Amino acid sequence: MEQQETAILIATVVLVVIIGMMIFLFLIFQKRKNSLLLQQKDAEKKFERAIAETQIEIREETLRNISWELHDNIGQLLTLAKIQVDVAKDKPERLSEATDTITKSLQELRALSKLINPDAIKGLSLTEAITLEIERFNRLQYIEASITSNEEVQLLDDKIEIIMFRILQEFFTNTVKHSKASKLTVDVQYDKEKLVINAKDDGVGFNIKDLNTKQGIGLCNIKSRGKLINADVELSSERGQGTAIMVTYFYKKNLPEDVY
């Protein structure tokens, strides 16, 4: 009888220990789950904040571009047209020159109108948005720029495209402002698994360790935005050899769950 009571006591103690361990493990699991949920929500908030900041930067860059075009391109064309009209008062046969210049001004205004809508990029594919930038560089004769691409194999989420576009826009800005390049080439290639974008200029190049603060901030932004969408970003440059960037985005290597 005593042995039976001892066995029951031991079994009860073991059962209580097992239940206690289960409760303890459940509480640890629940705490870990809550911690992961908080981290996920924090990641989502950071991502949405980064998207909002990127959209603002794109709009600011767009406004700067409009300002440059109005001053450097359309303003000069209209000034030239005015001079040609004044000349045509005494030489009517030269009125056609003014007409041609005004026509060109209207064409430039139509091209510029594509940039005026701050949300214009939302209605464009990534390749179309990049092409607009390339066309602008050529139109303003900032640099001889070209783009090659194939058709999209898989549509990207708008948020991914916004970040990708800003990465390239940052690179283009560095090229135009700092590289002293005469040529810029861009290649956009979609395949079944990934999107790969290569851009290269033939500028003076640089040693990454010798970057000035402003350039350094721009290149840090490029890399941090790549990490934001799990895109691989490779920057390479040598003095006298130009600068290149390769951005690789794997479709299945997406953002954390529930970010969309």
Side-chain angles (χ1 to χ4, degrees):
M1 186 69 177
E2 185 176 343
Q3 290 180 344
Q4 187 177 6
E5 289 178 353
T6 302
I8 292 172
L9 179 61
I10 293 173
T12 301
V13 171
V14 170
L15 182 61
V16 169
V17 170
I18 291 173
I19 292 173
M21 289 180 65
M22 290 178 66
I23 292 172
F24 178 72
L25 290 173
F26 175 77
L27 290 174
I28 290 178
F29 170 78
Q30 199 67 25
K31 184 177 180 181
R32 176 63 176 163
K33 181 181 177 182
N34 290 337
S35 176
L36 288 173
L37 286 172
L38 287 174
Q39 289 176 15
Q40 184 174 311
K41 287 182 179 179
D42 186 54
E44 290 173 18
K45 288 179 181 178
K46 287 181 179 178
F47 179 78
E48 292 299 334
R49 186 164 58 248
I51 288 290
E53 290 173 356
T54 300
Q55 288 175 322
I56 290 171
E57 288 174 354
I58 290 174
R59 288 169 183 165
E60 289 176 347
E61 188 72 15
T62 298
L63 290 174
R64 280 193 291 269
N65 293 342
I66 291 171
S67 174
W68 291 339
E69 290 212 36
L70 286 172
H71 181 269
D72 296 346
N73 191 25
I74 297 172
Q76 291 182 6
L77 283 171
L78 292 175
T79 300
L80 176 60
K82 181 179 181 301
I83 294 171
Q84 290 171 333
V85 168
D86 289 339
V87 170
K89 290 177 182 178
D90 300 321
K91 298 179 180 180
E93 68 276 8
R94 297 189 62 178
L95 185 61
S96 60
E97 295 178 3
T99 301
D100 290 342
T101 304
I102 292 171
T103 300
K104 187 175 180 181
S105 299
L106 290 173
Q107 291 172 343
E108 296 297 315
L109 280 171
R110 291 191 188 100
L112 183 60
S113 68
K114 294 179 182 179
L115 296 173
I116 291 176
N117 180 1
D119 298 319
I121 188 176
K122 291 183 179 179
L124 301 172
S125 70
L126 178 60
T127 303
E128 289 171 335
I130 296 170
T131 300
L132 274 182
E133 288 288 279
I134 296 301
E135 289 175 349
R136 184 174 66 84
F137 294 147
N138 288 325
R139 192 168 60 249
L140 296 180
Q141 299 181 343
Y142 285 152
I143 194 171
E144 182 184 332
S146 63
I147 180 170
T148 55
S149 65
N150 63 348
E151 292 189 11
E152 293 185 32
V153 174
Q154 180 169 325
L155 294 177
L156 299 181
D157 183 89
D158 288 346
K159 294 175 182 179
I160 298 294
E161 289 195 336
I162 286 171
I163 296 293
M164 294 280 280
F165 179 74
R166 184 56 187 159
I167 287 172
L168 291 165
Q169 196 178 51
E170 194 91 48
F171 179 80
F172 296 159
T173 297
N174 276 318
T175 292
V176 171
K177 289 185 176 180
H178 304 294
S179 75
K180 299 179 182 178
S182 60
K183 291 184 179 180
L184 168 68
T185 59
V186 182
D187 181 58
V188 183
Q189 293 297 319
Y190 295 85
D191 65 28
K192 293 181 179 179
E193 297 180 350
K194 63 186 181 299
L195 163 64
V196 180
I197 302 177
N198 284 286
K200 179 175 175 55
D201 66 48
D202 64 348
V204 295
F206 57 84
N207 184 332
I208 292 179
K209 294 180 180 179
D210 297 336
L211 283 176
N212 63 45
T213 303
K214 194 169 184 179
Q215 282 179 287
I217 291 172
L219 295 179
C220 285
N221 286 340
I222 286 174
K223 289 187 173 291
S224 64
R225 286 191 173 91
K227 290 180 181 178
L228 189 66
I229 58 173
N230 287 326
D232 298 326
V233 179
E234 293 182 23
L235 277 162
S236 59
S237 184
E238 292 183 25
R239 292 192 180 278
Q241 299 296 317
T243 304
I245 184 172
M246 182 171 73
V247 184
T248 306
Y249 177 74
F250 290 88
Y251 307 132
K252 292 183 180 179
K253 190 180 176 183
N254 276 328
L255 304 173
E257 293 181 12
D258 301 326
V259 152
Y260 295 118

